[in-house]
């Protein structure tokens, strides 16, 4: 069983960064070419995707095939709801430890509050989290859902519902951008009664030695799609493109989309699941909320037939329950998706 570590917020109070958090040679490093540049990709106007604008679809395709990351604006989510979610997340983590501990992950629990205590290699993540499954609704484990702040549960419910609507339109647009039938990516995530959605609230306490720790180590998401709400003020997300790190800018009213490994597999490598990480700020705490859209474990995922041809042979194997592959590959330090490649 993985040891349960002290929340990073509590470590911070002692002002000493334990050795286990300091980056080591074993950590995946890139960017020896100086400080990362700002990602310059354009934002995507979600309202135009809905109206089938060919220009916007082309922009979406280019961004997801090169970066695997876009910022959606005009997504129809009330901006007051984005602020409410950010605020309730900060309020949750600001509470005394004994209040948060009512929702602690225990043992092998994926869900709940605590330090990121998954199998690790190299240094530890400077990150506390609250992880909750939101779909299918009957799988919600309400014992992990905070009762304080008071509106936490209803706001998360509301936010999840709206995220789903955005996801559905986005999946259709992604299919159309590749000239596929628009329902094709619903094989990945099409049914809230079968497919899984997890909400991962990330909290990255400020750290006096921020350049020697990492908030979340470089990884690709094991999802179909991740929809990320970033902190409104504090930047921290970075993605890799062409072997270099780029900073993802803060756009307060945008939702950041990350292609997940299972989408890369289904699209036969056309859409890229980017390696990304979260860095820590020396002065300010940072939050983010990742909505993780994960296909049902019973469903076989594999490259769509229409995306396999002579020029692009099948690049990935078909499988069920990618989560298993993902967990098993972590100790090796390799990207899980590489285990799925057909050589
Ligand atoms: O905090 C961020 O910006 C990134 C979060 C992330 O990568 C994740 O939760 O998987
Ligand atoms: Fe991630």
């Amino acid at each position: 069983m993985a040891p349960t570590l002290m929340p990073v917020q509590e470590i911070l109070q002692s002002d000493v960064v334990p050795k286990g958090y300091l980056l080591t040679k074993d950590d995946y490093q890139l960017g020896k070419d100086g400080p990362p540049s700002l990602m310059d990709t354009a934002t995507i106007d979600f309202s135009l995707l809905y109206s089938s604008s060919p220009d916007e679809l082309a922009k979406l395709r280019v961004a997801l095939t090169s970066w695997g990351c876009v910022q959606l604006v005009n997504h129809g989510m009330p901006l007051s709801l984005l602020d409410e979610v950010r605020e309730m997340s900060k309020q949750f983590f600001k509470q005394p430890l004994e209040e948060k501990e009512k929702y602690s992950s225990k043992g092998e629990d994926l869900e709940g509050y605590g330090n990121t205590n998954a199998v690790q290699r190299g240094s530890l993540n400077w990150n506390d989290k609250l992880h909750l499954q939101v779909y299918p609704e009957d799988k919600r484990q309400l014992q992990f859902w905070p009762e304080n702040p008071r509106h936490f549960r209803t706001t998360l419910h509301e936010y999840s519902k709206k995220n789903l609507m955005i996801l559905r339109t986005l999946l259709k647009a992604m299919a159309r951008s590749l000239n596929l039938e628009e329902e094709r990516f619903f094989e990945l995530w099409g049914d809230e009664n079968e497919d899984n959605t997890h909400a991962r609230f990330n909290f990255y306490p400020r750290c006096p030695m921020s350049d020697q720790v990492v908030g979340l180590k470089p990884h690709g998401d094991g999802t179909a799609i991740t929809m990320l709400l970033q902190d409104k003020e504090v930047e921290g997300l970075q993605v890799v493109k062409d072997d270099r790190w780029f900073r993802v800018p803060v756009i307060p009213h945008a939702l950041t989309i990350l292609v997940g490994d299972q989408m890369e597999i289904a699209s036969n490598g056309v859409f890229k699941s980017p390696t990304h990480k979260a860095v820590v700020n020396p002065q300010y705490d940072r939050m983010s909320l990742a909505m993780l859209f994960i296909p049902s474990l019973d469903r076989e995922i594999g490259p769509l037939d229409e995306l396999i041809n002579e020029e692009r042979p099948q690049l990935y194997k078909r499988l069920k329950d990618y989560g298993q592959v993902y967990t098993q590959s972590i100790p090796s330090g390799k990207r899980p998706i590489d285990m799925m490649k057909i050589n």
Side-chain angles (χ1 to χ4, degrees):
M1 195 190 287
T4 305
L5 297 164
M6 189 195 279
V8 176
Q9 258 181 304
E10 302 301 310
I11 298 173
L12 182 65
Q13 316 229 332
S14 73
D15 238 16
V16 179
V17 177
K19 205 158 156 243
Y21 288 88
L22 299 177
L23 290 169
T24 68
K25 277 209 306 295
D26 226 16
D27 288 307
Y28 175 75
Q29 299 283 357
L30 261 185
K32 302 229 159 50
D33 49 354
S37 325
L38 203 61
M39 176 182 176
D40 60 359
T41 184
T43 53
I44 298 289
D45 185 330
F46 182 80
S47 66
L48 295 180
L49 293 178
Y50 197 70
S51 67
S52 305
S53 155
D55 289 354
E56 212 63 14
L57 281 182
K59 240 165 84 180
L60 181 71
R61 189 190 63 241
V62 169
L64 295 185
T65 53
S66 53
W67 290 94
C69 174
V70 289
Q71 306 241 41
L72 282 188
V73 296
N74 280 336
H75 40 64
M77 180 95 78
L79 303 187
S80 56
L81 182 57
L82 301 185
D83 284 344
E84 214 174 310
V85 170
R86 289 181 176 117
E87 193 48 41
M88 76 179 192
S89 160
K90 287 194 175 156
Q91 277 177 15
F92 171 77
F93 285 102
K94 220 198 267 169
Q95 296 175 108
L97 181 61
E98 66 228 49
E99 179 62 28
K100 291 178 287 195
E101 275 185 337
K102 292 183 190 159
Y103 309 99
S104 284
S105 318
K106 305 226 165 47
E108 302 288 302
D109 288 339
L110 176 64
E111 291 188 54
Y113 162 73
N115 191 312
T116 316
N117 52 14
V119 189
Q120 289 277 357
R121 194 187 139 94
S123 63
L124 298 164
N125 292 319
W126 192 258
N127 164 279
D128 292 333
K129 53 96 193 170
L130 172 66
H131 188 131
L132 304 170
Q133 176 157 10
V134 292
Y135 291 114
E137 240 181 279
D138 61 8
K139 294 243 179 77
R140 290 183 185 179
Q141 298 202 59
L142 289 180
Q143 73 270 26
F144 292 121
W145 288 49
E147 280 173 297
N148 286 311
R150 226 158 34 86
H151 300 295
F152 189 101
R153 293 180 175 191
T154 47
T155 305
L156 179 57
H157 177 74
E158 188 64 22
Y159 182 72
S160 308
K161 256 193 339 199
K162 295 220 155 61
N163 260 257
L164 256 192
M165 283 157 57
I166 295 173
L167 175 76
R168 293 215 162 96
T169 304
L170 178 70
L171 288 178
K172 283 189 194 169
M174 286 171 72
R176 280 207 315 268
S177 79
L178 301 181
N179 293 322
L180 301 172
E181 297 275 334
E182 67 175 16
E183 310 287 317
R184 288 301 267 146
F185 288 132
F186 283 10
E187 286 187 358
L188 277 172
W189 210 109
D191 185 343
E192 75 253 44
N193 297 315
E194 279 184 26
D195 295 299
N196 301 301
T197 302
H198 295 245
R200 186 188 154 105
F201 293 84
N202 291 303
F203 190 76
Y204 308 96
R206 65 195 177 279
C207 178
M209 295 165 82
S210 60
D211 54 342
Q212 291 177 57
V213 301
V214 66
L216 272 190
K217 287 151 74 100
H219 65 281
D221 287 350
T223 56
I225 292 287
T226 301
M227 222 179 267
L228 187 74
L229 178 66
Q230 292 204 70
D231 195 290
K232 201 170 176 177
E233 279 125 21
V234 186
E235 195 187 286
L237 176 64
Q238 300 191 356
V239 294
V240 172
K241 182 172 176 278
D242 304 330
D243 279 342
R244 288 183 51 203
W245 285 109
F246 287 86
R247 291 155 40 215
V248 180
V250 168
I251 304 177
H253 49 277
L255 290 169
T256 306
I257 304 298
L258 291 160
V259 169
D261 288 354
Q262 299 200 55
M263 175 59 83
E264 175 165 333
I265 292 168
S267 70
N268 199 25
V270 173
F271 292 135
K272 297 288 178 309
S273 164
T275 297
H276 56 282
K277 67 178 178 182
V279 301
V280 177
N281 192 285
Q283 275 177 303
Y284 302 106
D285 299 339
R286 174 174 181 264
M287 62 71 62
S288 72
L289 168 57
M291 296 297 282
L292 309 166
F293 293 101
I294 302 167
S296 158
L297 310 185
D298 299 330
R299 190 165 316 134
E300 191 176 82
I301 299 298
L304 296 180
D305 289 341
E306 302 93 307
L307 298 175
I308 301 172
N309 52 43
E310 258 174 48
E311 279 144 53
R312 181 179 278 276
Q314 183 177 342
L315 294 179
Y316 297 101
K317 298 177 217 163
R318 298 182 188 279
L319 91 162
K320 285 183 184 169
D321 194 0
Y322 181 66
Q324 293 261 5
V325 175
Y326 198 89
T327 317
Q328 282 161 12
S329 75
I330 291 176
S332 75
K334 294 206 184 90
R335 274 202 59 172
I337 196 167
D338 290 340
M339 320 261 277
M340 299 300 301
K341 285 198 171 132
I342 296 175
N343 299 311

